[in-house]
């Protein structure tokens, strides 16, 4: 996301990790900037917060939670090393956890560093959201949603909503064995599936010339 915070995704959802040495007001400013720039990715998301060893007052934490709520984001849990911060989180009704262990102490910036592989069906009303790439072995039914910061690969039928490059990555692509989404978005570009669908074959969608183009897998490989 920035040099002061990082976002990671996994099977348990999204986690935002803050640099605990940065000035708190600057962190909130950059967080609000990211929320404004990436509304399509964050709106409706639930996530966990990691504030490191920082001690937050109830007022500071309330400001953070209100900022997230204003942008349609729910904070489900908070990890902190300081007992005072965890107590403030519990007072605010947020699940508080001890600080998780990381292999190093510095935030990792690249949202595409981790890919998510799942074997399942995404049914109507379900949303699968990840900060990096998503590979799904299964189908996305109409009414289901895939939202990824990176590329999306579906080894099956993609017939719901898909948004690749939701954190602004214009090089992201969408691949599926049967690419028939109700709407497809890559970064800020979007398109809908033609009513007269062609033959079912593996296809790739990408941005070319400021618009989304769809081509067969064989043509894309050349």
């Amino acid at each position: 996301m920035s040099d002061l915070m990082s976002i990671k995704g996994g099977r348990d959802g999204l986690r935002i990790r803050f640099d605990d040495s940065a000035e708190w007001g600057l962190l909130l400013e950059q967080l609000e900037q990211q929320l404004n720039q990436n509304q399509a990715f964050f709106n409706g998301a639930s996530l966990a917060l990691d504030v490191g060893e920082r001690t937050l007052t109830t007022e500071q934490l309330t400001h953070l939670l209100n900022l997230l709520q204003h942008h349609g984001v729910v904070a489900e849990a908070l990890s902190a090393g300081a007992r005072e911060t965890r107590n403030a989180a519990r007072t605010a009704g947020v699940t508080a956890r001890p600080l998780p262990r990381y292999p190093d102490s510095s935030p990792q910036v690249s949202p595409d560093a981790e890919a998510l592989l799942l074997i399942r069906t995404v049914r109507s009303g379900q949303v699968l959201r990840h900060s990096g790439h998503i590979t799904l072995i299964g189908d996305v039914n109409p009414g289901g949603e895939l939202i990824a910061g990176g590329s999306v690969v579906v080894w099956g039928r993609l017939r719901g909503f898909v948004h690749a490059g939701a954190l602004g990555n214009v090089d992201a692509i969408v691949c599926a064995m049967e690419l028939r989404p109700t709407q497809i978005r890559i970064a800020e570009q979007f398109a809908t599936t033609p009513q007269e669908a062609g033959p079912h074959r593996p296809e790739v969608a990408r941005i070319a010339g400021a618009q989304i183009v769809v081509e067969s897998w064989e043509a894309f490989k050349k």
Side-chain angles (χ1 to χ4, degrees), residues 128-214:
L128 180 58
R129 192 187 316 258
H130 183 59
S131 57
H133 306 301
I134 293 178
T135 298
L136 177 73
I137 301 177
D139 296 333
V140 182
N141 291 345
E145 298 184 20
L146 295 182
I147 304 174
S151 296
V152 173
V153 177
V154 177
W155 191 262
R157 294 177 294 179
L158 203 173
R159 298 180 294 165
F161 170 83
V162 59
H163 189 176
L167 293 173
N169 183 0
V170 297
D171 295 321
I173 61 174
V174 177
C175 308
M177 298 295 290
E178 183 181 326
L179 187 60
R180 297 291 179 267
T182 51
Q183 186 182 100
I184 182 171
R185 296 193 63 168
I186 300 178
E188 296 300 319
Q189 304 296 325
F190 67 92
T192 55
T193 303
Q195 293 184 354
E196 296 182 3
H200 296 168
R201 60 183 181 181
E203 292 180 310
V204 180
R206 60 185 177 87
I207 292 179
Q211 64 180 352
I212 294 177
V213 298
V214 178

Side-chain angles (χ1 to χ4, degrees), residues 1-7 16-31 33-34 50-52 54 105-110:
M1 295 178 65
S2 73
D3 55 342
L4 298 182
M5 62 190 69
S6 63
I7 179 171
I16 291 183
R17 185 183 177 200
F18 296 98
D19 182 345
D20 52 10
S21 64
E23 195 271 322
W24 182 244
L26 182 59
L27 280 176
L28 291 181
E29 181 181 323
Q30 291 211 4
L31 175 60
Q33 181 180 356
Q34 292 292 336
D50 182 342
V51 299
R54 182 188 305 273
S105 58
S106 59
Q108 298 182 20
V109 177
S110 173

